[in-house]
Each structure stands twice: as structure tokens, then as C-alpha cells.
Amino acid sequence: MLEMFGHKKQPTVTLSNGVEMPLLGFGTWQSNDEAGKEAVKEAVRAGYRLIDTASIYENEGMIGQALQELYDEGVVKREDIFITTKLWIEKAHPDKHLAAIENALQLLGTSYVDLFLMHMPPLMHDDLAIEDVWQGIERLYDLGLTRAIGVSNCSFKQMERIRKIAKTPIHNTQNECHVYFPCHDLQAYCKLHNISLTSYATLGSANREAFQMFKWVKGNPSPLANPTVQLIAERHGKSPAQVLLRYMLERGIATIPKASTPQRIRENIDILDFHLSTEEVKKLGSLKEHIRYFVFQEFKDHPEYPFHQCGAARQAIDAMNGY
């Protein structure tokens, strides 16, 4: 479905509860300074209407300030912006959910968010099941503090466990997804159960090693440098990043690229004037590389660790451990 945002037509997806979500959003991970604030403002002026954040990013306050300045300037209204934020695992216990979202709302300067996600399964709690976390998030939805709810970094089995006990269905799942990890099976599951899918790390997440909370696999190739991606980009007169982002839109998957310079911010949204052919989409979805950048190996022994069935995750963990 297409919706008018300013002078641009931005593709959107209608969630199972009728809420409309833009398919092209602006990511803000590792962006929590004055430059990040200006980047958010530049992104909205360029036409982005989905802003993705999380409590662990420590930038909800900065984003709230940027958006308020845009509201005051008359650039957009609150109802024009789709805000996604996430519940971090330290706050996974349902007793902490209300305080967590109220803190996020205060920082963001709003009475509601558009999408509230379980950022990860409850990997810091040995006595907490993923069903418990979901039921707590459902209560926030019932209170009207978020227009939609979902999960992130969860496995098929975990999503199915939630689906079986849910009063409110999963509206969205956010997962690593890119040409080296195309998530065809996950997308098929989401289509079967009317769950929208959002891709993160669509461009490869080159700066993840600067985030000190986790250990990372180093030296993985970037999809931006893939010869097939570069050839398709040259054919269309676009950049490799634009091809990777367009690939997700062709599949109906939302994507939330981060950029810091005005040129990159505007380049990433300038993908609505071309299409990839069916053959190009097929080629991009069947590259020989199979890489998962985010494996969260610190939690691999937790019973709710989500990636045991993921071959790319096992390979990455083995590489970390020197196998």
C-alpha cells in the first residue's frame, strides 16, 4: 500500500490490527549526540516517517527533542511520525514494563509509541519465560500506551509459543536480515501468520564492533562490496546501499538504515524511483555467503537463547571460540 508523505510516496504495510507502518524507516542505533539529533531532523525533512530507537540506545531523549523541534517548526505533527522503541532485557520482568514504557514516553515527549517491541528474549532472567514477557507487553497495549506490539531477535519456536498464548497477536518482528542472511523461512512464517517483518543490519552493520556490550565476529565481509550487488547497482545507476535497501522493499520487508550525513540520509530514501527485476531479487536472495552478524554469544547457554537452530549463528560462535 502507498501513502502520501509530503511530496514523496512512501510504501507502507498495514499491520494485522489496521495500523499503517512505513516500510522505510530511519535507524538510530549508536546515535545519541548532537550530531545524531541533527541526523534525525534531517531524516524527517528528507521524508522518513518511521524513527526506530530502543531504551538500550540511550537516545530516546535526543530523539524526543529533535521531534519536538520539528513539531514546533511545523515540519510534521506527532501523528505523522511512526515511533518504534523496545524493551531491553534488564526490564523483561512484567513488573518493570509499565515503568519502562512510561520512561520512554517521557523521553520521547509523547503519550504513546506506535510500536513497542520485546528487544530480545529474557536472557538475563533464569526464571522468566518468553510467554511471561509477552503477557506483560500485552497489558501496555491494552492501556493504549502503544498502537502495536511485537518482538525482536526471537526464533520461530519462540514466536510460535507466544502465538499460542497471545490475546493480542504479534504485529511485527524485527530481525537481522540482509542478502547474506535473507530470512526466507522467517518471511514465510510471518506471511502465514500475518506478522510484518522489519530488517535490521540491511547494509551489514559495519560499526557494530564499536558497541562494547557484546563480543563480535570480526572480519566478516560487507554486502556493500559484493560483486553481484555492485553490478546490479551499476545497471540501475544507483549505489550498492540503495540496491540492498530496495531489495527489502521488493520483498515487502521494512528496513531501518542508519546514516549520519545529509548525503547518505537522502541517498538511502531515494530508492522509490526504480525497481529490481524478479531475476535480480532472486540473485540477491541466493548469494553463496551465509553470515549472521549478531549472535549474542554471551547468552548462548541460556534456555531462551534464540539462535541455536541458526547455522550462521553456530558458525559465528565457533569462529569466536577459535574452532
Side-chain angles (χ1 to χ4, degrees):
M1 181 179 296
L2 294 178
E3 179 177 312
M4 288 297 294
F5 286 132
H7 298 295
K8 296 177 179 286
K9 282 186 175 180
Q10 293 289 344
T12 66
V13 61
T14 301
L15 306 183
S16 63
N17 65 347
V19 170
E20 200 162 13
M21 183 182 83
L23 282 176
L24 185 57
F26 187 69
T28 64
W29 183 45
Q30 297 180 313
S31 180
N32 55 11
D33 55 12
E34 187 64 26
K37 176 183 172 182
E38 292 305 313
V40 170
K41 293 173 69 174
E42 178 69 20
V44 173
R45 291 192 179 103
Y48 294 85
R49 292 296 179 264
L50 187 160
I51 305 296
D52 182 89
T53 183
S55 63
I56 192 62
Y57 301 172
E58 298 183 341
N59 63 10
E60 290 167 318
M62 174 271 288
I63 291 170
Q65 292 173 14
L67 292 176
Q68 187 59 56
E69 291 178 12
L70 291 166
Y71 303 152
D72 292 344
E73 295 167 13
V75 177
V76 287
K77 300 176 182 177
R78 169 64 185 94
E79 55 267 30
D80 298 327
I81 302 295
F82 191 103
I83 301 174
T84 298
T85 194
K86 311 177 192 77
L87 177 78
W88 186 237
I89 48 180
E90 289 180 335
K91 307 293 186 182
H93 196 284
D95 289 348
K96 298 182 179 181
H97 290 186
L98 182 59
I101 197 170
E102 285 180 339
N103 182 63
L105 296 177
Q106 180 179 11
L107 291 170
L108 289 164
T110 182
S111 60
Y112 67 94
V113 291
D114 298 276
L115 178 62
F116 193 67
L117 302 177
M118 182 193 311
H119 204 153
M120 295 186 73
L123 300 176
M124 287 185 174
H125 303 265
D126 293 334
D127 59 345
L128 197 60
I130 201 165
E131 292 91 339
D132 302 320
V133 186
W134 183 255
Q135 288 171 338
I137 290 175
E138 283 182 320
R139 286 193 282 273
L140 304 180
Y141 179 75
D142 291 341
L143 290 171
L145 300 176
T146 177
R147 298 174 67 219
I149 52 178
V151 298
S152 180
N153 299 305
C154 287
S155 69
F156 290 102
K157 289 183 177 179
Q158 289 170 327
M159 292 173 68
E160 188 64 14
R161 284 165 51 195
I162 290 172
R163 201 178 66 81
K164 287 180 178 179
I165 59 92
K167 294 188 303 178
T168 302
I170 299 170
H171 298 129
N172 176 268
T173 181
Q174 187 176 124
N175 291 76
E176 177 178 345
C177 183
H178 43 78
V179 293
Y180 288 164
F181 194 66
C183 299
H184 297 306
D185 290 345
L186 176 61
Q187 185 177 22
Y189 176 87
C190 289
K191 284 186 176 180
L192 180 63
H193 298 296
N194 200 12
I195 301 169
S196 68
L197 175 58
T198 299
S199 156
Y200 73 76
T202 312
L203 305 180
S205 195
N207 296 324
R208 69 191 185 283
E209 292 172 22
F211 190 62
Q212 298 299 315
M213 178 169 288
F214 300 112
K215 299 175 184 177
W216 306 105
V217 181
K218 297 184 179 181
N220 275 332
S222 167
L224 292 165
N226 183 273
T228 299
V229 174
Q230 294 186 337
L231 180 62
I232 293 173
E234 183 178 351
R235 184 183 301 154
H236 288 278
K238 292 289 185 178
S239 70
Q242 289 172 315
V243 167
L244 293 173
L245 296 171
R246 184 73 221 185
Y247 169 67
M248 288 300 165
L249 295 195
E250 298 288 358
R251 294 175 58 193
I253 298 173
T255 184
I256 46 173
K258 176 199 170 187
S260 55
T261 68
Q263 177 184 353
R264 293 298 184 194
I265 290 169
R266 293 182 177 273
E267 176 184 297
N268 286 348
I269 201 174
D270 186 23
I271 60 173
L272 304 178
D273 60 350
F274 78 108
H275 287 275
L276 301 177
S277 70
T278 301
E279 183 63 25
E280 287 170 333
V281 171
K282 183 177 179 181
K283 283 184 178 180
L284 290 171
S286 58
L287 299 179
K288 65 179 181 178
E289 292 85 354
H290 189 57
I291 297 166
R292 186 178 192 104
Y293 295 106
F294 293 81
V295 296
F296 309 107
Q297 94 143 344
E298 286 81 351
F299 304 112
K300 65 183 177 64
D301 296 322
H302 193 280
E304 290 284 14
Y305 180 73
F307 304 136
H308 284 304
Q309 304 304 314
C310 173
R314 289 198 302 273
Q315 292 170 16
I317 290 174
D318 287 348
M320 289 179 183
N321 293 330
Y323 298 148

